[in-house]
Amino acid sequence: MFIWVAVAADDTLTGAPGTVVTDQDAATSYLRDDGRDGMQQIPTGVMIQTAQFTDANNIRLTGYLWQRLPAGADTKTPAVDLPAAVDGSGVGEQVFLHANSDNTQTVGWKLRTTLREQFDYGHYPLDQQVIWATMWPKTPGTVLVPDFAAYPPWEPEHNHGLYSGMVTGEWRTHFTTFSMGESTTGTTFGHTDATPDSTIAALHFDGGPQRLRAQPRRVRRAPGRFLMTALLPAPRAAGSRGRLEEPRLGWARMVAADGVLKDRPYRVSAG
């Protein structure tokens, strides 16, 4: 039995939660449409140094998170919460604090967190994931916005917000972006002036890593049948008779009579 699976990957921002914003004007427009333009904005930025999948649903991130706060505001406690963090708030010790000429102060913290998210492995081993770090404001009457002033003009394919020396292993990041949305919790958290259907303004920092190639692996299977599964990237072009115009490299997966699953590279020839 032969099973052929064609998988296409792209560089679009499909999968990023909420509304993608790439500059301050877009963030302001989103808040206006969402009815939150009267709230105090807290510019928030991140720089990710390391990212590691620790299991099927958890990813470990380290780096830095900072906020620009009004002069005199409390800087001892981060004005941000990471609701998907499985290890507390996800924000570590304060690492810098400096005053700005516009009557604000920038405070930065070390980011060390494991986020729990739903990933899609339907196209493994040619899968592309979307990772998002969701941030909620802690201070009532405030809303988090991207600190675009801290980055070059935002181009998602330039991977702003990722450390340039980041070790990516078998992954290549196609994009990074900020997006803005709402989180519905179904509770008032005890606030008597709120209703259970109230929403929380959410800021997301998103990344789109794609696995570069299949990783050979051995898995025990019940002995008996012989199964071969071929996994191919989507062809770039086809000839007049529907044939591939260039050789493509894929992975052949075999289960031999001894019940051992094996991956082998193979080449599909044109013609």
Side-chain angles (χ1 to χ4, degrees):
M1 177 175 66
F2 292 87
I3 303 175
W4 299 90
V5 181
V7 180
D10 56 43
D11 297 342
T12 68
L13 305 184
T14 301
T19 300
V20 171
V21 293
T22 56
D23 56 33
Q24 182 58 45
D25 288 343
T28 301
S29 176
Y30 171 82
L31 292 176
R32 182 175 58 251
D33 295 342
D34 197 44
R36 302 182 192 267
D37 51 329
M39 305 178 73
Q40 179 186 348
Q41 299 182 20
I42 301 180
T44 303
V46 297
M47 195 275 285
I48 304 300
Q49 285 183 301
T50 69
Q52 180 183 15
F53 288 96
T54 57
D55 63 30
N57 293 103
N58 287 359
I59 184 166
R60 178 73 174 170
L61 301 178
T62 67
Y64 297 90
L65 183 150
W66 65 88
Q67 294 184 296
R68 282 195 287 121
L69 304 172
D74 177 27
T75 59
K76 295 181 180 179
T77 304
V80 60
D81 182 42
L82 279 69
V86 300
D87 45 7
S89 69
V91 183
E93 69 275 13
Q94 185 180 125
V95 291
F96 60 83
L97 173 65
H98 57 80
N100 303 315
S101 59
D102 60 354
N103 203 34
T104 64
Q105 54 186 341
T106 301
V107 56
W109 297 271
K110 189 67 179 177
L111 179 67
R112 296 190 185 94
T113 186
T114 297
L115 302 179
R116 187 159 183 81
E117 300 178 1
Q118 185 67 50
F119 300 118
D120 180 6
Y121 296 100
H123 289 159
Y124 177 84
L126 302 173
D127 50 316
Q128 179 170 326
Q129 305 296 340
V130 177
I131 301 166
W132 58 90
T134 299
M135 295 168 276
W136 290 351
K138 277 189 175 181
T139 307
T142 65
V143 61
L144 306 182
V145 296
D147 186 14
F148 286 117
Y151 304 96
W154 200 277
E155 298 290 344
E157 66 272 17
H158 290 174
N159 293 340
H160 301 308
L162 297 186
Y163 175 51
S164 60
M166 184 176 181
V167 177
T168 59
E170 63 176 327
W171 297 91
R172 173 186 169 224
T173 301
H174 284 275
F175 70 84
T176 59
T177 189
F178 281 101
S179 59
M180 302 175 70
E182 297 178 332
S183 297
T184 302
T185 61
T187 180
T188 67
F189 293 100
H191 295 293
T192 57
D193 295 332
T195 60
D197 59 352
S198 298
T199 59
I200 301 174
L203 174 65
H204 313 277
F205 179 72
D206 316 305
Q210 181 188 10
R211 205 183 304 264
L212 291 176
R213 59 183 176 84
Q215 296 298 304
R217 59 185 66 240
R218 296 169 63 92
V219 179
R220 296 301 305 180
R221 289 289 185 89
R225 297 183 180 179
F226 177 90
L227 171 66
M228 177 176 178
T229 302
L231 299 170
L232 287 174
R236 295 181 180 176
S240 59
R241 290 179 294 175
R243 298 173 178 172
L244 296 178
E245 292 184 339
E246 57 178 314
R248 303 304 302 272
L249 181 65
W251 288 85
R253 177 165 292 179
M254 292 186 178
V255 179
D258 61 359
V260 177
L261 178 67
K262 301 178 180 180
D263 288 339
R264 293 289 184 266
Y266 72 99
R267 186 168 297 275
V268 179
S269 300

